[in-house]
Amino acid sequence: MKLKTLDLHKTRHQDVEERVARFLNWAEVPCRIITGDSNTMKTIVKEMVDKYGYHCYNESAINHGSLIVVENSYKGF
């Protein structure tokens, strides 16, 4: 399955909320948000995902820089 993806590389922390909001307003879940390794970036993204009533998790055990956003009641793939 090809997921709509938002890549936040080279995005300043102060611009993350707006970019994530614009993305989540049109993207269907599940979708992917690439955060890179920044813990600050991940925190901001997770807070925005929560505001939209969604849940997110690391794409894989070895890739912690990409989050998959799903419906809150979604049980996984």
Side-chain angles (χ1 to χ4, degrees):
M1 169 184 0
K2 178 113 169 121
L3 299 176
K4 294 283 185 190
T5 301
L6 172 64
D7 187 347
L8 294 173
H9 283 110
K10 298 184 181 181
T11 301
R12 296 180 308 190
H13 291 143
Q14 64 208 39
D15 299 329
V16 171
E17 283 189 27
E18 181 183 343
R19 289 203 60 205
V20 171
R22 279 189 283 148
F23 178 72
L24 292 178
N25 281 332
W26 67 268
E28 293 182 24
V29 291
C31 58
R32 175 185 298 117
I33 300 177
I34 300 171
T35 61
D37 292 327
S38 168
N39 287 326
T40 302
M41 184 82 70
K42 290 177 201 173
T43 299
I44 296 168
V45 169
K46 288 177 182 179
E47 288 172 358
M48 289 299 295
V49 167
D50 285 345
K51 284 182 183 179
Y52 275 77
Y54 297 136
H55 172 74
C56 62
Y57 59 88
N58 291 330
E59 183 170 12
S60 71
I62 57 173
N63 183 3
H64 296 273
S66 181
L67 301 172
I68 303 298
V69 179
V70 295
E71 294 285 343
N72 229 350
S73 61
Y74 194 73
K75 302 297 183 199
F77 290 96

